[in-house]
Amino acid sequence: MNSTWFRRFTTAAGDGPRLVCFPHAGGSATAFKDLARALPARFDVMSVQYPGRQDRYHEPPFTALAALVEAVAGELTRELAAAPGRPYALFGHSMGALVAFETARLLASRGELPSPQRLFLSGRGGPGTSSLPYHLYDDADVLDDVRRLGGTDQAMLEDPDLLELVLPALRADYRALGTYRWRAGEPLTCAVTALTGDRDPMMKPEDAGTWRAHTTGDFTVKVFPGGHFYLYDQTDRIASAVTEQMLTAAAAA
């Protein structure tokens, strides 16, 4: 495994389906540590580590979403091609939902891998549902938005030394989101599950349904109690939903 781009948080990699997880803006691979440990041991859960955070702090973060997607897709292709025929799915939260979706589109256009069995797209509506000028936000705007959404240790935001560590990645991710432009194309053919919290200040539960237009495959919406970072409080329920849908797809295949 390319230890630069992917992390595992279990003692061993399962030999069953793979789940590749994409974190939120400013987030790191550890955002999915609890979910990885809540899923069945037979799953192989890989979390993407973007540049500019944690052990990749000294690498410049991407400021354009397309460039990030290109890099992730290349690394993922090499990783998945080593086990041809093994089923996999992608799970992205917030900005990660957009990165996962665009990664799936790029992989489909290249045709080097089979399609993922399913995309799990969490905490964000489909392309075109959000057009906020995130790239124009200054540091105060970014931090205000992070506080509004929650999910980050609020004490960390008041510590100048810790802020110095996390702000570069946050700035870069907000710029990537603000400059992203949806380019229409053929819809995906894989199944999609859209997930959201019922009190998410970033989106309404009905916004999850906007992903329906982006696939010709099966489509499901799952609504959980909580805000934008509902997944931290609903780990077991999310793990159950992911398990059911991935194992059902594997059995059908």
Side-chain angles (χ1 to χ4, degrees), residues 26-86:
S28 65
T30 53
F32 293 99
K33 179 176 65 176
D34 290 343
L35 179 60
R37 293 173 176 171
L39 288 165
R42 62 175 295 203
F43 283 20
D44 182 17
V45 184
M46 301 161 45
S47 297
V48 179
Q49 185 76 300
Y50 305 141
R53 53 217 83 197
Q54 292 187 334
D55 55 342
R56 301 190 72 184
Y57 171 72
H58 294 293
E59 298 177 53
F62 284 89
T63 57
L65 195 126
L68 174 59
V69 167
E70 182 80 28
V72 172
E75 299 295 340
L76 191 56
T77 296
R78 281 187 280 275
E79 177 63 29
L80 297 179
R86 186 174 184 178

Side-chain angles (χ1 to χ4, degrees), residues 40-144:
R42 62 175 295 203
F43 283 20
D44 182 17
V45 184
M46 301 161 45
S47 297
V48 179
Q49 185 76 300
Y50 305 141
R53 53 217 83 197
Q54 292 187 334
D55 55 342
R56 301 190 72 184
Y57 171 72
H58 294 293
E59 298 177 53
F62 284 89
T63 57
L65 195 126
L68 174 59
V69 167
E70 182 80 28
V72 172
E75 299 295 340
L76 191 56
T77 296
R78 281 187 280 275
E79 177 63 29
L80 297 179
R86 186 174 184 178
Y88 71 98
L90 309 182
F91 189 120
H93 179 66
S94 198
M95 183 187 85
L98 201 54
V99 179
F101 170 70
E102 289 292 358
T103 297
R105 292 181 78 204
L106 185 55
L107 293 177
S109 71
R110 291 176 173 174
E112 299 175 13
L113 293 172
S115 296
Q117 286 190 334
R118 186 174 288 269
L119 296 186
F120 295 93
L121 303 175
S122 166
R124 185 182 178 89
T129 59
S130 176
S131 58
L132 293 174
Y134 291 119
H135 57 300
L136 301 180
Y137 281 20
D138 60 19
D139 287 354
D141 294 329
V142 170
L143 293 175
D144 283 346

Side-chain angles (χ1 to χ4, degrees), residues 4 6 17 84 164 166 168 182 197 244:
T4 300
F6 304 110
E164 186 178 348
V166 301
W182 160 244
E244 178 187 4

Side-chain angles (χ1 to χ4, degrees), residues 19 21-24 28-36 38 47 91-97 120-124 149-152 195-200 222-240 242:
L19 181 67
C21 300
F22 297 74
H24 57 279
S28 65
T30 53
F32 293 99
K33 179 176 65 176
D34 290 343
L35 179 60
S47 297
F91 189 120
H93 179 66
S94 198
M95 183 187 85
F120 295 93
L121 303 175
S122 166
R124 185 182 178 89
L149 295 177
T152 299
L195 308 94
T196 184
D198 61 3
R199 300 186 303 279
D200 189 338
K222 299 282 188 181
V223 180
F224 298 87
H228 187 62
F229 287 97
Y230 71 93
L231 67 173
Y232 292 150
D233 299 320
Q234 303 294 329
T235 301
D236 289 342
R237 292 180 63 182
I238 294 166
S240 294
V242 170

